[in-house]
Amino acid sequence: MLKGLVMGVALVAWASPLLSDVVRPKPRPVLVSAPAATEAPAPQTPTPALLPLGPPAPRATAPVAEPRDPNKGAVTNLPLPRYVSLKSSEGNARRGPGLSHRIDWVFTRVGMPLKITAEHGHWRRVEDAEGIGGWVHYALLSGVRSVMVADDIATFYSRADTASLAAFQAERGVVARVIGCKAGWCRVSANGQKGWSPVSSLWGVTEDEVID
C-alpha cells in the first residue's frame, strides 16, 4: 500500500508541470458606469447674445420721374403750341403719327403758317388757321416764320404805329413772311411789299412774341 501511495505522489509531481502550462482565459473586465447622480454634467458653452450691428440699410427706391411739362414738346422740349411754316408745296396731314395712318388733309400752300400742338418721334401734330390739321412729318416743316392775314382787309403801315402812312393792304388768307415782331406788331413781307401790322390782324404769331 505504501508503494502505491508513493507511486501516486510521483504521478502527481510529474503531472504538475503540465498543469501549470494550462492558462485559463481571463475574465473580460466589466465596465460599470457611474451612477447618474454622481456623473458630472458636461460644461455648457454659453451662447453669445446676438447684438444688432446697426440700423437696417434703407431700401433702394426707384427715382421718381418728374412730371413732363405739358407746355413743352415731348421730343424737342420746345414750347407748345408754337408756330412753323410748311416747307414744301404739299404736306400730308395724317390721322396718326406714322405712314400707316390714313391721310385726312393735304396742305398745298408753301410757306403757310401752321401751329404745332403735339410731338411724337419724327411727327408733329399741326393745324392751320381754321383748325384743320393732323400729323405731319417734321421734314415737311420749316422754322422760317410766316403769318396769314386774319382780317377781311388788313392795313400794313410804314411804322409800328397806326398814325403812320399805310404801306399796303392785303385780304384775308394772304400769306406773308415775318421779318420781325415786337410790342404787339409784326413787320412782314408780302408780294415784294413790306409793312407793319398789329398782331391782332394776323394768324401765326402770339400777342407777346418777339422775333428778331
Side-chain angles (χ1 to χ4, degrees):
M1 182 177 179
L2 181 57
K3 183 179 179 180
L5 180 61
V6 171
M7 293 179 63
V9 171
L11 290 173
V12 171
W14 176 82
S16 58
L18 298 177
L19 294 176
S20 63
D21 292 338
V22 177
V23 179
R24 295 182 179 180
K26 297 181 180 181
R28 295 180 178 178
V30 178
L31 299 178
V32 179
S33 59
T38 59
E39 185 176 357
Q44 299 293 327
T45 302
T47 302
L50 298 178
L51 301 177
L53 299 179
R59 294 183 178 180
T61 57
V64 179
E66 296 183 1
R68 187 178 66 83
D69 187 352
N71 297 318
K72 292 186 177 180
V75 179
T76 63
N77 204 37
L78 294 175
L80 287 179
R82 68 180 184 275
Y83 293 95
V84 293
S85 60
L86 185 65
K87 182 185 295 184
S88 65
S89 58
E90 184 174 310
N92 295 330
R94 298 180 179 272
R95 181 160 295 187
L99 295 176
S100 60
H101 297 276
R102 81 177 192 182
I103 299 173
D104 285 338
W105 305 95
V106 179
F107 299 121
T108 58
R109 296 184 64 182
V110 61
M112 67 180 297
L114 294 170
K115 180 168 65 175
I116 295 179
T117 59
E119 300 178 351
H120 182 82
H122 295 316
W123 296 83
R124 307 291 181 264
R125 188 173 64 197
V126 301
E127 60 183 46
D128 63 8
E130 298 180 0
I132 296 174
W135 289 89
V136 175
H137 196 275
Y138 82 101
L140 301 176
L141 304 175
S142 171
V144 176
R145 297 296 299 275
S146 63
V147 291
M148 182 178 290
V149 176
D151 293 343
D152 292 336
I153 297 291
T155 301
F156 293 81
Y157 300 88
S158 57
R159 291 184 288 111
D161 186 354
T162 55
S164 64
L165 295 176
F168 66 95
Q169 290 183 321
E171 297 179 349
R172 180 187 297 272
V174 170
V175 174
R177 183 176 61 86
V178 174
I179 299 174
C181 296
K182 63 178 182 180
W185 285 77
C186 285
R187 188 169 187 255
V188 304
S189 173
N191 298 323
Q193 303 183 82
K194 298 179 182 180
W196 290 86
S197 172
V199 172
S200 58
S201 298
L202 308 172
W203 188 89
V205 64
T206 60
E207 185 72 26
D208 57 349
E209 192 169 5
V210 176
I211 300 175
D212 296 328

